[in-house]
Amino acid sequence: LPDGTQKSFNLKYIDWENFDNNVFHVTEEYACESADKQHNARPDIVLFINGIPVITAELKFELQGQDFIEAQTQYKLRSLAEPLFKFKTGPLVHFAVDTTNASMTTKLAKLGTNFLPFNLGSNGAGNQGGKGNPKASQGKFATDYIWEKVLTKESLLDIIQSFITLEVDSKTKDETLIFPRYHQLDVVRKLLNDVATNGSQKNYLVEHSAGSGKSNTIAWLTFHLNNLYFTDKNEKVFDSIIILNDRRVLDKQTRNTIMSFNPKDGTVKIAKKSSEIIEYIKLGIGGGSIRCPK
């Protein structure tokens, strides 16, 4: 993992032996099958892992009169018949980036495409502030964190392994591929790295604004903490992970995300009443989702 997490802990679910065998390749101005039939059908960047396209990006430069909004428009005009732009069969995420702002989408749907911000916040990740990014330091761009902290080999493999999930609406059956926004990725990794230093001896408070994906953040953090082992012994850092939710919708969203990681039978239990909480703790359940009884 980035920032030295693996130095203190072993993440049990990663096959370290084959980790370095993955082959990364970046192609600029990738020639799509529809390139000659559609204006601007060549993505600026396509990132491949083992020959499979996983990321595309459209890059804009404000001094040339275009910004990330124009990049979003380009994506909205893409032909969905092109394999590179098909949902699920194509890349996992598409980035619209300029030197100041970034956004992303996991599903191209013509003019109905929904882009989410992929910025740090005006005062930097984890700090209160407004939208956008902090002013870039000399010689750098404000969006350099995408290349330096998100799309590195270690970071991207971690995201694919233990963050990306597919959500299915129980009523409409619509599918949504969830790629972590930067603030979600940042808080999970910061907590993991602090646990690497302090073990289980500290308390933390994570603040999320409305609509910023707190259920996914809870699920991702639970998954990672439940797979942390001390490197010098085959022993978990945390015996049990307990989630207490005060809303049924949030409880359902969190539970579905955790279950999407295909936990082994018996490692996740759902407590429907308070007496079951003690029972599961005594059994040493490694992860859990518990809805607060009224």
Side-chain angles (χ1 to χ4, degrees), residues 26-248:
V26 176
T27 298
E28 298 181 42
E29 293 288 339
Y30 182 78
C32 301
E33 293 180 6
S34 57
D36 296 332
K37 303 176 183 178
Q38 184 185 11
H39 180 61
N40 286 335
R42 295 171 176 257
D44 289 326
I45 287 178
V46 180
L47 192 156
F48 296 81
I49 300 179
N50 302 329
I52 301 173
V54 294
I55 305 285
T56 75
E58 288 291 350
L59 310 178
K60 301 300 176 185
F61 189 38
E62 295 91 320
L63 293 182
Q64 293 181 343
Q66 291 188 321
D67 60 17
F68 78 105
I69 299 298
E70 276 74 25
Q72 291 181 2
T73 300
Q74 276 188 297
Y75 274 122
K76 292 177 180 180
L77 298 177
R78 297 300 192 211
S79 170
L80 300 184
E82 167 60 49
L84 193 68
F85 304 127
K86 284 185 178 180
F87 178 59
K88 291 200 323 182
T89 60
L92 300 169
V93 64
H94 307 277
F95 284 101
V97 187
D98 59 31
T99 65
T100 307
N101 292 283
S103 63
M104 68 167 188
T105 185
T106 59
K107 186 176 184 177
L108 296 179
K110 291 294 189 177
L111 297 180
T113 302
N114 180 39
F115 280 88
L116 293 173
F118 200 80
N119 293 323
L120 305 180
S122 61
N123 291 322
N127 300 314
Q128 291 188 352
K131 62 182 181 179
N133 285 307
K135 184 178 180 180
S137 57
Q138 188 172 1
K140 296 179 71 66
F141 294 127
T143 50
D144 279 353
Y145 58 89
I146 295 177
W147 326 113
E148 295 175 351
K149 296 184 177 181
V150 179
L151 299 185
T152 63
K153 179 176 181 178
E154 295 80 7
S155 174
L156 185 53
L157 289 179
D158 175 49
I159 292 172
I160 294 173
Q161 171 75 21
S162 53
F163 281 90
I164 291 179
T165 58
L166 184 68
E167 292 186 355
V168 181
D169 188 286
S170 59
K171 295 182 179 180
T172 65
K173 304 302 179 183
D174 289 339
E175 296 178 319
T176 302
L177 189 68
I178 305 298
F179 189 95
R181 294 169 64 181
Y182 189 86
H183 67 276
Q184 297 172 308
L185 196 64
D186 178 68
V187 70
V188 171
R189 288 177 171 173
K190 280 180 177 177
L191 285 173
L192 288 175
N193 284 310
D194 198 84
V195 170
T197 300
N198 299 290
S200 58
Q201 303 303 311
K202 291 181 63 178
N203 296 323
Y204 306 91
L205 174 65
V206 179
E207 293 183 287
H208 260 300
S209 59
S212 59
K214 53 184 169 293
S215 62
N216 282 317
T217 301
I218 292 169
W220 289 326
L221 182 59
T222 299
F223 177 77
H224 280 81
L225 292 178
N226 191 46
N227 284 281
L228 279 182
Y229 286 73
F230 291 105
T231 54
D232 57 345
K233 51 187 174 180
N234 189 27
E235 180 181 323
K236 281 189 172 184
V237 178
F238 297 98
D239 295 318
S240 297
I241 309 294
I242 302 172
I243 303 175
L244 297 172
N245 286 318
D246 62 353
R247 285 184 293 151
R248 291 181 182 273

